[in-house]
Structures are given as structure tokens and as C-alpha cells.
Amino acid sequence: AADAEGPYDPARDAMTAALVAAMIARARPVFGVCRGLQELNVALGGTLRRDTSRSPDLIAHHAPDGTEFAAMFDHRHPVSLTPGGQLHAAFGRDTLTVNSVHYQGIGRLAAPLAIEAQAADGIVEAVSGHIDGAPVLAVQWHPEWDADSNADSATFFHLLGRALRDRQ
């Protein structure tokens, strides 16, 4: 909305939407992390909400203001994995604890996407889809932050690698 707080980067948004369309047109895998999940959702027709850290109806999805950069990634909460989803199959369990550093999230889910994970407050934390031959997978958290020491991060990146190998 025009009255929503910024900052905005219309050039980045346009570039991302074009990149998503080009990858899908070529039936190539499309992955997203944090803002990437948000950008995918919007590029495919969904919307965002900007209150994931200040709504009294939601859990905190971001560390308190003033938290040092590295400590922001220590802010964590559980997510429930969708039974039968890709992440549920890959992790072999019902929940994960993920880092959470986002001020906005999915408002309305884009029609071609399915929910892979949600926070206890209903905020979508991961999505997937198979659009015109292109596999799509995106998460709201940052698995790259602790990839060397977190087995769940390693599992996520193995899942991405398998999707890439399957497309060759």
C-alpha cells in the first residue's frame, strides 16, 4: 500500500519479478530465503503484511530493536511442518526451531504456492510449488546463517542440491 512504511526498492522488486518469471519459463528451480520467500510470493500474485514484529496478535518474528547484528539471528521460534510436504519429508519430523529476523511476511499466499511451514500464530514460514515444470521452495528463516553447525541447515541445503541435480 502507498501508505505502508518503507524503505522500498522498486528496481530490486522489478528485477526479482523478472528473474522469477524467467526461471519458471525455463522450468528451472527457484529458491528463496527470507526476503526471497516474500519476493516469490508477490511475483506469483500474493501479498505481504508488514507487522510481524509489532502486532499484539503475533509472536515476535524479529529480535527487539537495538539488538546487535549477530545476536538478531539468535532470535528463534518453532515452526510446524505441513504433513506430506517436502520439508516434512526431508526433516522427518513435525517441527523445526528456526531463526527469525523478518519484519514482514506473507499476507495472502500466491495461488500456485503451498504452505510448507507455519509459525504458531499462522504466519507462513515456508512455501513450495511446481509451476510449469519449475520446482519452487522458499523459507522465511536464514538457514545460511549457521549452516556449518546446524544439522537442519545442512538438511535444507541438501534438499536444494537434490532439486538442482534432478533438473539436469
Side-chain angles (χ1 to χ4, degrees):
D3 61 344
E5 52 185 273
Y8 300 102
D9 190 344
R12 176 181 169 153
D13 296 340
M15 183 274 307
T16 300
L19 183 58
V20 168
M23 294 297 285
I24 289 172
R26 289 166 180 78
R28 297 290 185 230
V30 181
F31 306 125
V33 169
C34 197
R35 181 175 168 150
L37 171 138
Q38 298 164 12
E39 291 171 327
L40 274 167
N41 187 61
V42 171
L44 296 171
T47 64
L48 299 179
R49 59 184 298 169
R50 303 225 359 132
D51 63 345
T52 60
S53 284
R54 65 177 186 271
S55 171
D57 299 327
L58 303 176
I59 64 171
H61 288 268
H62 197 285
D65 289 341
T67 301
E68 291 186 25
F69 182 77
M72 286 190 319
F73 293 89
D74 292 334
H75 183 80
R76 298 180 179 276
H77 64 74
V79 297
S80 296
L81 302 178
T82 301
Q86 290 180 47
L87 295 180
H88 189 265
F91 289 99
R93 58 187 197 268
D94 296 333
T95 62
L96 296 176
T97 298
V98 300
N99 58 30
S100 187
V101 294
H102 57 103
Y103 288 104
Q104 60 186 18
I106 290 178
R108 185 184 74 248
L109 184 67
L113 297 176
I115 296 171
E116 286 282 335
Q118 286 182 281
D121 57 12
I123 294 294
V124 175
E125 295 280 338
V127 297
S128 67
H130 202 269
I131 306 164
D132 297 333
V136 175
L137 181 63
V139 297
Q140 185 63 78
W141 61 89
H142 284 269
E144 80 284 2
W145 183 253
D146 55 1
D148 292 335
S149 62
N150 184 315
D152 290 341
S153 291
T155 298
F156 177 74
F157 286 112
H158 286 294
L159 183 63
L160 298 187
R162 187 171 63 225
L164 291 169
R165 285 188 299 280
D166 290 347
R167 300 304 303 166
Q168 294 181 1

